[in-house]
Amino acid sequence: MSYLDWPFFEPRHRELVANLESWAASHVAVDDDADTDGTCRTFVRALGQDGWLKHAFGDIDTRAVCLIRETLARHSGLADFAFAMQGLGSGAITLFGTEAQKGRYADRAGRGEAIAAFALSEPACGSDAAALACDARAAGDAYVLNGEKTWISNGGIADFYVVFARTGEAPGAKGITAFVVEPGTPGFSCDERIEVIAPHPLARLTFRDCRVAATQRIGDPGQGFKIAMATLDVFRTSVAAAALGFARRALAEAIRYATSRQMFGKTLADFQLTQAKLAMMATDIDAAALLTYRAAWQRDRGQPVTIEAAMAKMVATESAQRIIDDAVQILGALGVVHNNPVERLYREIRPLRIYEGATEVQQLIIARGILKGG
Ligand SMILES: Cc1cc2nc3c(=O)[nH]c(=O)nc-3n(C[C@H](O)[C@H](O)[C@H](O)COP(=O)(O)OP(=O)(O)OC[C@H]3O[C@@H](n4cnc5c(N)ncnc54)[C@H](O)[C@@H]3O)c2cc1C
């Protein structure tokens, strides 16, 4: 029985995966580290043109978004990244923007004609996002932004950035407002491109007396933190799905190698030590998939998923790391050769345990929920 036959899914989900699988086979090649920006631009355009991005916009079918991320991640980390960032980068506008903002930014992002970014983190605050310091002062019919953002995905290639800054209506989370800023706005610069373990467009942004028209504000003053959390909430379960895609690819590569590698007169898969590894990998994948699609299904039924999404994200990302490590071990020296699929997965998975709420943050969310009786 395929996991797609689980009761979480409907026929349209199975059809979606079959169609995306054949799309990916012809559109997704091995990721090219030599031109990460170009690869991401190509993926955004192709995913938009062929209608995949629209699933990350509007009234979201969480199971569909998760299945798309899982499938893309199985083929390419950058394809999954391109898909996810269009949704995350536009989510604040889709959920809280004006019609004009939707037309100028979110609709174009959904068609793959504009690249989106979500700028919340700063050098001095990541997990504690409500402590952000980037300042936005009201000045007539505009706001003047001063400060820094860092670790911003699509930084340097984005056509618009959703930026969260402190407007000071109240201390902490209640004094933050969201804005949409275009590159080329005087005072806004992408000062540093950051190289990470698995190449993705990532940058540090600086705002120096950057004047942003009040029409670029998203939602009401002081609503920014709520907007950021609502956006992250839509996509948190899908991070688990991406990890699941990486883990499934690692298991497939491990099985392929173990069943063909000859040693000591047998194949590697004939040894019980290998079988034990494969059994644990397969079981961890099913456990992560059950948590992921339970959270997605529950969200699609309109129920809160704070605890369920945190459990899914934590278990899927942590177990994918172990599964991929086991796949590297099964492939021996080949597993550490640059750009072998499992070596690439080994690098791709690591940031997922940190961003959109590190594992420790998910543990706190789960504990808070169960202690409240949730
Ligand atoms: C590849 C990548 C892409 C990213 N893309 C974006 C993006 O597009 N937009 C954006 O705004 N940000 C982005 N980020 C930033 C990301 O959201 C932050 O890295 C994350 O929130 C953690 O913040 P930090 O790195 O400042 O770590 P810190 O907040 O300093 O935390 C360090 C570590 O402390 C631990 N920790 C946290 N809280 C607790 C606690 N209460 N108790 C015990 N331990 C704790 C966790 O292990 C955590 O990893 C990205 C990061 C990466 C790696």
Side-chain angles (χ1 to χ4, degrees), residues 81 85 88 117-129 149-154 164 196-198 200-202 350-361 364:
F81 169 83
M85 279 314 303
L88 186 66
F118 175 89
L120 178 67
S121 304
E122 299 182 1
C125 69
S127 305
D128 185 10
K149 294 285 165 186
T150 194
W151 320 121
I152 306 309
S153 297
N154 280 340
F164 299 88
V196 275
I197 189 166
H200 292 77
L202 199 74
R350 192 61 187 85
L352 275 66
R353 294 168 55 206
I354 297 170
Y355 64 57
E356 294 191 37
T359 293
E360 290 74 6
V361 172
L364 294 175

Side-chain angles (χ1 to χ4, degrees), residues 11-309:
R12 70 173 189 279
H13 295 120
R14 288 184 273 279
E15 197 181 324
L16 178 84
V17 173
N19 290 340
L20 182 57
E21 194 57 53
S22 60
W23 184 90
S26 57
H27 287 79
V28 181
V30 174
D31 285 337
D32 175 12
D33 287 349
D35 183 15
T36 306
D37 290 0
T39 308
C40 285
R41 286 194 182 99
T42 306
F43 277 140
V44 168
R45 256 194 315 274
L47 288 163
Q49 269 165 12
D50 293 339
W52 299 109
L53 289 180
K54 71 175 187 313
H55 292 280
F57 288 77
D59 194 10
I60 278 172
D61 175 342
T62 318
R63 288 164 293 170
V65 167
C66 287
L67 288 167
I68 291 172
R69 289 203 64 180
E70 183 192 327
T71 307
L72 291 175
R74 199 153 34 71
H75 288 271
S76 148
L78 282 180
D80 165 60
F81 169 83
F83 173 82
M85 279 314 303
Q86 289 301 96
L88 186 66
S90 308
I93 298 170
T94 314
L95 294 171
F96 298 92
T98 61
E99 287 311 309
Q101 290 167 350
K102 287 179 191 166
R104 186 170 171 84
Y105 302 110
D107 293 353
R108 283 170 55 229
R111 292 194 297 267
E113 294 163 6
I115 294 181
F118 175 89
L120 178 67
S121 304
E122 299 182 1
C125 69
S127 305
D128 185 10
L132 66 80
C134 182
D135 183 63
R137 287 275 152 83
D141 58 356
Y143 287 84
V144 178
L145 270 62
N146 278 289
E148 267 188 351
K149 294 285 165 186
T150 194
W151 320 121
I152 306 309
S153 297
N154 280 340
I157 68 165
D159 296 296
F160 66 91
Y161 297 80
V162 169
V163 178
F164 299 88
R166 184 159 299 285
T167 37
E169 290 73 17
K174 295 203 168 118
I176 294 168
T177 301
F179 301 91
V180 54
V181 182
E182 294 184 26
T185 307
F188 171 61
S189 57
C190 173
D191 281 357
E192 184 195 3
R193 295 295 298 268
I194 304 165
E195 283 184 33
V196 275
I197 189 166
H200 292 77
L202 199 74
R204 183 168 59 83
L205 315 174
T206 305
F207 301 87
R208 290 187 195 88
D209 292 330
C210 173
R211 209 176 161 80
V212 175
T215 50
Q216 298 296 89
R217 193 184 71 217
I218 304 169
D220 293 329
Q223 259 203 327
F225 191 73
K226 195 180 103 187
I227 291 174
M229 292 306 117
T231 310
L232 289 169
D233 184 55
V234 173
F235 292 99
R236 185 163 292 120
T237 307
S238 78
V239 182
L244 192 53
F246 292 150
R248 285 198 202 279
R249 176 67 181 268
L251 178 60
E253 296 291 336
I255 290 173
R256 192 180 0 257
Y257 186 81
T259 52
S260 60
R261 178 66 167 170
Q262 300 291 321
M263 58 173 71
F264 309 109
K266 299 177 177 186
T267 70
L268 177 55
D270 289 324
F271 293 96
Q272 288 184 336
L273 286 173
T274 312
Q275 291 169 12
K277 274 200 183 67
L278 295 173
M280 288 309 295
M281 292 159 86
T283 307
D284 280 345
I285 285 174
D286 269 10
L290 283 162
L291 284 173
T292 302
Y293 290 109
R294 186 238 338 221
W297 168 80
Q298 197 165 313
R299 190 170 188 284
D300 288 340
R301 287 162 56 96
Q303 292 167 351
V305 291
T306 308
I307 297 176
E308 291 79 1

